Amino acid sequence: MTIEEPEGAAISVPSIKAPKTREGIESLIRKLVKEYHSPLLLILKSVLNKQFYSFKKKLPYIEPFYAIKSNPHPAILKHFVSLGCAFDVASAKEIEWVLKAGARPKNIIFANTIKSETDLQYAFDHRVNLMTFDNELELYKIAKHCPKAKVVLRLKVANIGSVVQLSLKFGADPEQATYLLKKARSLGLQPEGVSFHVGSQCTNINNYIQALETSAKIFAEAESVGIALRLLDIGGGFPIKYFDSEDGTVFEKMAVMLRKEIRRLFKAYDKLRIVAEPGRFLCGPAGILITQVVGKAFRDNKYYYYINDGVYQDFSGIIFDHCKYEFKSLKRGPKLLCTIAGPTCDSLDIISLTEELPELDINNVIYVKNIGAYSCASSVPAFNGFAPAKVLVI
Ligand SMILES: *Cc1c(COP(=O)(O)O)cnc(C)c1O
């Protein structure tokens, strides 16, 4: 997607109801390829709704702040504004995008613990005053540029089993928490609460439980030094399903445990403001990437299909997000071992070495579901002259 000219990147199409069956999806794909060609990244608003409301339903007293790094497409941001969702941003540019989409400053958390001074000033100038931090020097920067800001201490927590580690370069040691919260207060800031991130695509509920236990201890310690914390931010990490064969109830089970643990550990949880920063969970399942075969060869006893999207574009999640996808073709037939590669002249641009698909020919369609998160968001504009997919939000 073109980040600088976001409006132009989306083709506006009258709302289409999301098809549920494979036949329905595939007939929509056929229609769209005829009309718009490929590569196309289809974002289904009905699935954004489904994810948002299932989050609200399963975690009723937790306010979702959509982590826009997972997919900052302007039409998605506007859609979440219309649903009343809040936002997690990491930079001045992301603040600009969500404000442009219509978000209110009070519904934004600046959740990058390391912020540049110019970005902090931008936040202050645009009345964004809720932000995370994890070290002392950051507090001085915040106090200088965003006086009286509400600050949330990001803790270092276990990321065991999560596909993407997010505690390697962020998070304060819990032992330092009280010191840092006191320091914030002494600098005229408002120590508001505690946050953590258990790692992205986290299927290990113990990461959340341990992080909640640590947070509860810090709430008690802070109280003992006269700091009344009001906000608990349980971060992102909520997992989605990538393959049809996977269990689709992991999030639901996790939500049940989360509610139970929060009730157990935070007796006054109903007086607490509890927020979360889901990214992948809200936008991942809404994306379908539609590509076509542009070349074919036979090497190492298997077919190589070269398609018109690759790891520099919308399959960037393979590199940056360690993601594995399920590839499907419109064509049916006996399946044969194959490799799927992207269009650039780089050998890194291999999407999958071993897939099983029916024998395909030039222009045949390969598509991938559940690819709304960490796909176009981390693509590069035009490596080798190959642009990412057109984004179609319907
Ligand atoms: C990336 C990130 C998120 C979103 O994580 P998901 O796993 O996509 O839910 C939330 N908060 C912070 C601070 C992040 O860095």
Side-chain angles (χ1 to χ4, degrees):
M1 70 186 267
T2 320
I3 298 281
E4 287 308 318
E5 289 158 351
E7 302 299 345
I11 306 161
S12 175
V13 171
S15 187
I16 297 176
K17 230 172 124 201
K20 293 225 159 55
T21 60
R22 179 163 185 179
E23 289 67 35
I25 291 171
E26 297 194 346
S27 90
L28 176 64
I29 291 174
R30 275 196 190 87
K31 229 177 76 193
L32 293 173
V33 168
K34 247 191 217 139
E35 201 161 335
Y36 301 103
H37 308 289
S38 73
L40 262 186
L41 179 60
L42 191 61
I43 303 283
L44 298 161
K45 282 185 189 167
S46 53
V47 182
L48 296 176
N49 292 347
K50 178 168 166 258
Q51 294 303 107
F52 179 75
Y53 289 114
S54 98
F55 192 92
K56 301 270 280 187
K57 192 169 159 212
K58 303 287 176 213
L59 297 170
Y61 45 80
I62 302 186
E63 297 168 47
F65 281 60
Y66 173 51
I68 79 161
K69 81 163 184 279
S70 57
N71 193 329
H73 194 280
I76 296 178
L77 301 185
K78 273 193 192 136
H79 190 71
F80 281 131
V81 168
S82 78
L83 298 182
C85 189
F87 297 93
D88 160 355
V89 300
S91 61
K93 202 72 188 168
E94 285 195 346
I95 294 176
E96 186 189 320
W97 292 339
V98 295
L99 290 176
K100 200 168 167 206
R104 287 198 265 163
K106 72 170 179 54
N107 290 334
I108 297 173
I109 183 167
F110 196 171
N112 187 342
T113 60
I114 307 292
K115 298 167 282 300
S116 75
E117 293 197 86
T118 46
D119 282 12
L120 280 168
Q121 192 58 47
Y122 186 92
F124 184 76
D125 294 342
H126 292 81
R127 293 183 291 123
V128 172
N129 79 335
L130 180 63
M131 54 196 73
T132 63
F133 75 101
D134 65 5
N135 71 89
E136 209 170 357
L137 188 55
E138 191 73 10
L139 283 174
Y140 283 99
K141 278 158 55 191
I142 297 173
K144 181 174 163 202
H145 294 280
C146 303
K148 299 205 181 99
K150 294 178 176 173
V151 292
V152 178
L153 176 64
R154 164 105 172 247
L155 296 173
K156 186 170 182 164
V157 298
N159 278 203
I160 299 161
S162 298
V163 176
V164 185
Q165 302 284 309
L166 288 170
S167 270
L168 295 177
K169 62 175 210 187
F170 296 118
D173 286 318
E175 297 74 42
Q176 283 199 323
T178 310
Y179 171 79
L180 288 168
L181 292 165
K182 282 194 329 206
K183 184 84 185 207
R185 185 173 59 181
S186 75
L187 290 171
L189 301 168
Q190 306 176 55
E192 191 71 8
V194 161
S195 80
F196 55 79
H197 199 303
V198 294
S200 201
Q201 186 68 3
C202 167
T203 48
N204 179 4
I205 180 72
N206 288 326
N207 287 341
Y208 283 103
I209 295 175
Q210 272 181 37
L212 287 171
E213 279 170 353
T214 309
S215 304
K217 275 192 207 132
I218 292 166
F219 267 67
E221 259 177 54
E223 198 176 348
S224 73
V225 296
I227 295 176
L229 298 178
R230 284 177 294 237
L231 184 136
L232 173 67
D233 176 352
I234 66 168
F238 309 96
I240 62 167
K241 170 177 155 156
Y242 278 94
F243 287 79
D244 287 347
S245 59
E246 272 173 67
D247 175 11
T249 62
V250 179
F251 170 73
E252 277 159 54
K253 289 177 191 144
M254 213 172 220
V256 172
M257 288 294 282
L258 272 171
R259 281 156 63 175
K260 193 173 129 226
E261 288 300 304
I262 290 172
R263 277 199 305 270
R264 175 174 76 85
L265 292 162
F266 296 86
K267 293 291 178 241
Y269 72 92
D270 48 340
K271 292 192 189 67
L272 202 63
R273 184 176 185 205
I274 310 177
V275 308
E277 302 166 350
R280 182 191 311 275
F281 183 82
L282 293 184
C283 67
I288 302 175
L289 183 63
I290 306 164
T291 71
Q292 279 172 288
V293 175
V294 294
K296 173 179 177 180
F298 197 77
R299 312 180 200 281
D300 317 323
N301 284 318
K302 59 185 170 179
Y303 283 112
Y304 271 60
Y305 300 118
Y306 300 84
I307 63 174
N308 54 5
D309 205 325
V311 302
Y312 286 92
Q313 295 87 28
D314 299 277
F315 288 109
S316 57
I318 289 172
I319 309 283
F320 298 122
D321 192 37
H322 317 286
C323 200
K324 296 209 164 47
Y325 304 105
E326 179 160 357
F327 296 87
K328 291 190 172 164
S329 62
L330 295 184
K331 195 170 163 191
R332 302 285 192 274
K335 293 186 173 177
L336 303 169
L337 187 65
C338 67
T339 285
I340 305 173
T344 68
C345 298
D346 183 352
S347 289
L348 176 76
D349 195 5
I350 289 176
I351 296 163
S352 175
L353 274 173
T354 46
E355 291 297 324
E356 281 182 89
L357 288 173
E359 190 185 342
L360 301 177
D361 285 304
I362 307 304
N363 288 330
N364 281 170
V365 168
I366 294 180
Y367 70 97
V368 169
K369 297 192 294 179
N370 304 309
I371 190 169
Y374 306 113
S375 48
C376 58
S378 44
S379 66
V380 300
F383 179 56
N384 246 188
F386 296 105
K390 280 173 285 203
V391 180
L392 199 58
V393 182
I394 62 176

